C-alpha cells in the first residue's frame, strides 16, 4: 500500500513527515522512513549529490603513556605544607585508581617546586 505524497518540502536527508534521518538509497526502488514508514522513490534521488562526513574524536597522543610529565596545577588549594620546600598550600586532584568500592587517591602538587605526593584514602 503506497502512502500519499507528503505536503511538506524538506531536504532528501530527512523525512518530510516526521523529520527523521532517512537511510541512503540502496538497490530497492523506494526509500522508507524507519520511523513513520513514509516512502520516497529512489528516482527522486537521481542527479542529487549526497555527502556524509564522520568526524571521530582526535586521540591525545600522550594519553595512557604513564605518569604525567608535568603535573597539572589546576584545582583547589589546600592548607598543606610541601615536604620538600616548605611552601604552605598545595593543589590537589583526585582519581579513582582502584576498584569502585575503595577510596580515591588524592594527588597533591606544590605550586612552587612542583613536588608531587599521593595519599590513598
Amino acid at each position: 500500500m503506497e502512502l500519499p505524497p507528503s505536503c511538506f518540502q524538506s531536504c532528501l536527508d530527512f523525512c518530510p513527515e516526521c523529520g527523521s534521518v532517512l537511510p541512503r538509497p540502496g538497490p530497492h526502488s523506494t526509500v522508507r522512513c524507519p520511523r513513520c514508514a513514509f516512502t520516497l522513490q529512489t528516482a527522486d534521488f537521481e542527479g542529487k549529490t549526497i555527502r556524509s562526513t564522520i568526524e571521530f574524536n582526535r586521540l591525545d597522543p600522550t594519553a595512557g603513556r604513564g605518569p604525567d610529565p608535568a603535573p597539572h596545577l589546576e584545582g583547589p588549594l589546600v592548607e598543606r605544607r610541601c615536604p620538600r620546600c616548605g611552601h604552605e598550600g598545595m593543589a590537589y586532584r583526585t582519581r579513582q585508581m582502584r576498584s569502585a568500592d575503595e577510596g580515591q587517591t588524592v594527588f597533591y602538587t606544590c605550586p612552587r617546586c612542583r613536588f608531587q605526593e599521593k595519599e590513598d584514602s
Side-chain angles (χ1 to χ4, degrees), residues 80-90 110-113:
R80 184 179 180 107
R81 184 178 304 272
C82 174
R84 180 185 286 165
C85 72
H87 182 264
E88 189 62 45
M90 294 182 79
C110 177
R112 181 186 289 165
C113 70

Side-chain angles (χ1 to χ4, degrees), residues 9 51 60 118 121:
Q9 289 290 335
R51 290 192 177 112
D60 181 6
K118 71 175 186 169
S121 53

Side-chain angles (χ1 to χ4, degrees), residues 10-113:
S10 74
C11 173
L12 288 176
D13 290 333
F14 301 98
C15 174
E17 289 296 318
C18 70
S20 292
V21 177
L22 289 173
R24 296 292 174 221
H28 305 292
S29 62
T30 60
V31 174
R32 170 165 271 168
C33 174
R35 184 169 185 208
C36 71
F38 179 81
T39 57
L40 285 170
Q41 296 299 316
T42 307
D44 293 342
F45 291 87
E46 286 183 21
K48 304 287 184 190
T49 303
I50 299 173
R51 290 192 177 112
S52 59
T53 303
I54 298 174
E55 198 167 310
F56 295 98
N57 293 334
R58 298 202 186 281
L59 292 177
D60 181 6
T62 61
R65 293 192 182 176
D68 222 351
H72 299 289
L73 294 178
E74 298 172 359
L77 290 176
V78 64
E79 292 181 21
R80 184 179 180 107
R81 184 178 304 272
C82 174
R84 180 185 286 165
C85 72
H87 182 264
E88 189 62 45
M90 294 182 79
Y92 75 93
R93 62 188 171 116
T94 61
R95 283 188 109 170
Q96 187 69 38
M97 302 297 284
R98 297 172 287 165
S99 62
D101 62 340
E102 297 185 33
Q104 297 182 71
T105 301
V106 183
F107 293 92
Y108 295 97
T109 305
C110 177
R112 181 186 289 165
C113 70

